[in-house]
């Protein structure tokens, strides 16, 4: 996705358009519209440079913005210096605010004072609609040393795409402004900017109303938003999944529910989820990586993330690598897997200056690897093969991927990048290590002119859109002889029509098993059918190996990976932890995360309507739950939270009327009876139709009080006969009454003193007994409450024969 330079033809046409607007009476002196919404934020620069940045529409655009007290009104204006092009000026993003077909009034004040500049100079207020589409809106001719005024109206054409709309101020275009910088690139000051007109349209709802992840299935990982290019990262018993934020451009039509196709050029956020069981995933929201308000504002996009951690100067740090579009790769640094995030760099990490990467068309898709010895590597690249190669080689061995060593600081590179000779390679390189071997996986290309045209594929090489892999003893050496086969066929083979295209994958080890991540537009398909629009969702499958270390080809399934452990409900946990869901969305709010701490972002479940629900998989209540507490903010009266087990339509076992003050966060608790063992848990939401009911921040279950008593059974031989024994231990501070029952009878323990043990035995009169169990019943009064307990103590088979 390359930005085309603005052309002289385009500029003159735009100037002519502006002239036509003047002739039609649409510029100076036109009346202000009745709708008096000002779409400009901080137009008087009283908040410094907030909401403003230097135009970066082309790679050559560059300027320095700084506050100045020489203002037309108020105490501050903006000073623009170090302009590299005529278009280098202050810019504000109006995407989502202006509408096609609407007319707006624009006003601003501008002044220049350059001693060598002309006596008068024309300036333009210009809108950049993305790509090479620029339109001059209103002009002003300023006299040197005096404030001049922009004052005019403009109408956005009814057919104009306004998904990108960025307003900036500039001097008239010329192809070589540096030839006379005093005339073309003078410093100037800007103040009191306003664009008044129709208020911004309400943003389209991104809430996914269908059940996108079906109960019982584990793929896609989440059903309430999209995410692509997933990179699995394990830290402290938890898997973090970093993804390209496909949801950022999702804008379904209110009538049809179908969104326009995905626009990768607008994505500048990374979506993050995490889980400790691979089925119930917590939504941590989006990391604002690129763009004016990003951690690295000198970059414009954030695709295909990769994550690594390393101790640097005695401190554990986390490094999030990402693609800045197709042309470069960058990295930001975090204090934890959840951030907060900062940039230690002021320019991109991988770009055209990187040694050994000059011939790489797409310097993106970064994948880091930190080896056991602390050495770190970065894998990147993709795109068309070099045209200097013969067509057959361009097709089969395009050599478009690279490996390079990272510096000790993880934010610099060392030496030259080495070519990875991956067969039929396209993009999405990734490396993991297992039993001393390095595994490199990648996505294969689809052929075409970029890869030599119609060429014969070598036997065994990947087909189009498949994941191939290689095995090497050296993380920097990947000759074609290390190719090992196809790891994963194209996802459309498993998920059907509408789910094809290229893929992006990672692999990670978690609690003794390896897992493979990939994406597929399965959620998009469930929303719109077979005609998908490119919105992708994360998936995980277990990765298994043959005895020789090769990988067993992965089969994509909706079933996904098995749940690693049952969910522990007896703690405060985030409400945006989701096994399955219907109709809800999530959003960041102020304050600390109850589960992850003050430095972690805090999200809530929102956009909750009557009939919506969220659910958790395999929740272990043990001996039983006593209560459920929800931190909730009512939005209307009459809302209710209902608790159901194992099915969304199952009977209600507990309910929380959400009857707290409207708009205020509060904790509401309900008592629970008869909920024990392992269950899928459904929180269903009820209330007035047509209204957002409430928001939920967190859940917490409280276990029912229980006796702290344990029992152990066993067997021994006495006179050639088996004796079944049982031992009861009382860990309470009071006496406990207990009795035991087995296949061979019952026996009382009497009162077991605090902190003591008692033994009982059952003669069997048999030389051989099968395995069995002893049931122990106990009771005591603790803190005035009578508590019963029933324990099962198994024993093994025993033979006492000679």
């Amino acid at each position: 996705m390359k930005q085309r330079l603005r052309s002289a033809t385009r500029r003159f046409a735009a100037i002519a358009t502006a002239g036509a607007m003047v002739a039609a009476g649409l510029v100076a002196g036109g009346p202000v519209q009745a709708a008096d919404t000002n779409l400009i934020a901080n137009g008087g620069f009283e908040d410094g440079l907030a909401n403003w940045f230097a135009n970066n529409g082309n790679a050559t655009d560059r300027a320095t913005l700084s506050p100045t007290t020489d203002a037309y009104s108020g105490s501050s204006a903006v000073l623009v210096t170090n302009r590299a092009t005529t278009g280098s000026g202050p810019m504000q993003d109006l995407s989502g605010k202006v509408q096609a077909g609407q007319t707006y009034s624009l006003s601003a004040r501008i002044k220049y004072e350059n001693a060598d500049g002309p006596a008068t100079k024309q300036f333009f207020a210009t809108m950049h609609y993305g790509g090479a589409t620029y339109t001059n809106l209103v002009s002003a001719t300023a006299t040197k040393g005096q404030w001049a005024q922009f004052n005019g109206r403009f109408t956005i054409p009814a057919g104009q795409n306004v998904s990108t709309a960025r307003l900036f101020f500039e001097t008239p275009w010329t192809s070589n402004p540096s030839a006379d910088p005093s005339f073309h690139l003078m410093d100037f000051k800007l103040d009191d900017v306003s664009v008044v007109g129709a208020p911004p349209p309400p943003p389209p709802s991104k809430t996914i109303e269908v059940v996108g992840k079906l109960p019982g299935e584990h793929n896609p990982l989440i059903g309430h938003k999209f995410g692509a290019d997933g990179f699995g990262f394990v830290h402290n018993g938890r898997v973090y999944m970093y993804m390209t934020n496909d949801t950022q451009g999702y804008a379904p039509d209110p009538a049809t529910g179908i969104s326009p196709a995905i626009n990768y050029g607008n994505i500048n956020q990374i979506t993050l989820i995490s889980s400790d069981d691979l089925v119930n995933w917590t939504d941590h929201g989006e990391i604002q990586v690129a763009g004016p308000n990003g951690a690295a504002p000198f970059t414009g996009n954030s695709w295909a993330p990769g994550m690594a951690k390393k101790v640097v100067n005695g401190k554990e740090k986390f490094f999030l690598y990402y693609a800045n579009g197709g042309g470069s790769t960058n990295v930001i640094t975090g204090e934890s897997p959840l951030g907060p995030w900062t940039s230690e760099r002021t320019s991109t990490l991988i770009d055209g200056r990187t040694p050994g990467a000059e011939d790489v068309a797409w310097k993106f898709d970064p994948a880091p690897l930190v080896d056991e010895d602390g050495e770190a590597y970065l894998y990147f690249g993709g795109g068309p093969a070099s045209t200097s190669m013969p067509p057959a080689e361009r097709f089969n061995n395009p050599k478009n991927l690279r490996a390079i060593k990272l510096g000790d600081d993880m934010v610099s590179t060392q030496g030259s990048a080495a070519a990875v000779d991956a067969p039929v390679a396209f993009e999405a390189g990734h490396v993991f290590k297992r039993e001393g071997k390095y595994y490199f996986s990648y996505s294969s290309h689809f052929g075409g002119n970029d890869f030599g045209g119609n060429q014969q594929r070598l036997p065994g090489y990947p087909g189009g859109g498949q994941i191939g892999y290689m095995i090497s003893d050296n993380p920097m050496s990947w000759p074609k002889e290390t190719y090992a086969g196809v790891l994963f066929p194209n996802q459309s083979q498993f998920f059907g029509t509408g789910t094809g295209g290229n893929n992006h994958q990672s692999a990670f080890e978690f609690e003794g098993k390896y897992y493979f991540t990939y994406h597929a537009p399965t959620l998009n398909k469930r929303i719109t059918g077979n005609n998908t629009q490119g919105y992708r969702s994360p998936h995980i499958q277990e990765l298994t190996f043959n005895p020789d270390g090769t990988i067993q080809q992965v089969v994509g399934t909706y079933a996904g990976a098995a749940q690693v452990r049952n969910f522990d409900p007896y703690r405060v946990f985030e409400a945006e932890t989701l096994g399955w869901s219907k109709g809800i969305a999530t959003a960041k709010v102020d304050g600390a995360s109850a589960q992850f701490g003050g430095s972690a972002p805090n999200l809530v479940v929102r956009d909750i309507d009557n009939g919506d629900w969220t659910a958790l998989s395999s929740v272990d209540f043990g001996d039983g739950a006593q209560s459920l507490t929800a931190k909730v903010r009512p939005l209307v009266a009459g809302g209710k939270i209902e608790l159901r087990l194992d099915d969304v339509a199952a009977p209600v076992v507990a309910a929380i009327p959400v009857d707290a003050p409207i708009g205020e966060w509060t904790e509401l608790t309900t008592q629970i009876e008869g909920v024990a063992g392992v269950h899928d848990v459904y929180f269903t939401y009820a209330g007035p139709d047509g209204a957002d009911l409430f928001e939920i921040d967190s859940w917490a279950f409280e276990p029912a009080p229980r006796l702290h008593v344990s029992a152990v059974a066993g067997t021994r031989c006495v006179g050639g006969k088996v004796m079944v024994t049982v031992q009861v231990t009382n860990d309470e501070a009071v006496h406990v009454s207990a009795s035991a029952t087995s296949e061979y009878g019952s026996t009382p323990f009497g009162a077991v003193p605090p902190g003591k043990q008692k033994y009982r035995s059952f003669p069997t009169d048999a030389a051989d007994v099968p395995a069995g169990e002893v049931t122990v019943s106990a009771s005591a009064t603790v803190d005035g409450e009578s508590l019963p307990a029933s324990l099962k103590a198994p024993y093994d088979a025993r033979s006492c024969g000679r």
Side-chain angles (χ1 to χ4, degrees), residues 302-567:
S302 56
W303 308 338
M307 167 59 64
K309 67 178 176 181
K310 187 179 178 182
V311 175
V312 178
N313 297 326
K315 181 180 179 181
E316 186 176 58
K317 301 171 74 174
F318 298 82
F319 301 92
L320 179 57
Y321 301 83
Y322 63 95
N324 178 37
S328 62
T329 280
N330 198 49
V331 57
I332 57 176
T333 306
E335 298 177 10
S336 78
L338 299 175
W341 304 97
T342 58
S343 178
E344 298 182 33
R345 297 186 57 88
T346 57
S347 62
T348 50
L349 173 66
I350 302 290
D351 52 33
R353 300 164 295 180
T354 303
E358 296 86 353
D359 291 338
V360 175
W362 298 342
K363 299 172 179 66
F364 71 169
D365 285 2
L369 171 72
V370 179
D371 215 340
E372 289 97 335
D373 60 3
E375 295 291 336
Y377 307 88
L378 190 70
Y379 304 86
F380 66 93
S386 173
T387 55
S388 64
M389 300 165 59
E393 186 178 2
R394 293 181 69 196
F395 186 95
N396 284 292
N397 296 96
K399 301 179 182 64
N400 52 0
L401 304 177
R402 293 292 184 270
I404 195 167
K405 288 194 68 173
L406 289 168
D408 291 338
D409 59 5
M410 298 290 286
V411 297
S412 63
T413 61
Q414 292 183 352
S416 182
V420 177
D421 193 1
V424 200
F426 187 38
E427 58 184 17
H430 175 80
V431 172
F432 69 97
K433 190 175 183 181
R434 174 184 179 270
E435 296 183 357
K437 298 288 187 181
Y438 300 90
Y439 292 75
F440 183 97
S441 58
Y442 62 95
S443 180
S444 61
H445 68 70
F446 294 88
N449 292 334
D450 285 341
F451 292 93
N454 186 20
Q455 300 297 320
Q456 183 67 39
R457 191 182 308 271
L458 291 178
Y461 275 16
Q466 297 185 337
I467 304 298
Y469 77 105
M470 310 165 83
I471 305 175
S472 177
D473 295 323
N474 185 334
M476 288 292 292
S477 178
W478 300 96
K480 61 185 177 182
E481 289 77 16
T482 61
Y483 175 69
V486 172
L487 164 57
F488 184 66
N490 189 267
Q491 61 276 8
S492 61
Q493 177 175 323
F494 309 113
F495 302 110
T497 304
T499 63
N502 62 314
N503 215 316
H504 195 114
Q505 78 298 329
S506 76
F508 62 89
E509 183 183 7
F510 184 53
E511 300 193 356
K513 292 184 177 181
Y514 284 83
Y515 295 91
F516 173 77
T517 76
Y518 61 100
H519 63 230
T522 46
L523 174 58
N524 192 177
K525 182 173 181 174
R526 280 176 170 159
I527 296 169
T528 63
N530 291 336
N531 184 21
T532 58
Q533 292 76 49
Y535 297 93
R536 302 157 296 177
S537 293
H539 295 64
I540 288 180
Q541 308 288 164
E542 187 177 341
L543 195 61
T544 55
F545 298 81
N546 298 310
D548 63 356
T550 56
I551 300 174
Q552 295 181 13
Q553 195 170 103
V554 175
V555 174
T557 67
Y558 282 108
Q563 188 163 336
V564 171
R565 60 175 54 80
N566 292 330
F567 188 88

Side-chain angles (χ1 to χ4, degrees), residues 614-649:
T614 59
L616 296 167
S617 174
S618 297
V619 179
D620 189 355
F621 291 104
D623 293 333
Q626 174 178 258
S627 65
L628 167 64
T629 297
K631 185 177 180 181
V632 62
R633 186 169 79 97
L635 301 178
V636 296
K640 183 169 59 173
I641 299 170
E642 298 168 330
L643 178 67
R644 305 171 192 260
L645 302 180
D646 300 318
D647 190 276
V648 69

Side-chain angles (χ1 to χ4, degrees), residues 245-271:
N245 179 20
D246 275 17
T247 311
Q248 191 166 1
Y250 181 64
D253 183 275
T256 66
I258 298 176
S259 173
I262 189 170
N263 183 350
Y264 301 105
N266 291 339
I267 298 176
N268 59 19
Q269 299 173 341
I270 297 297
T271 295

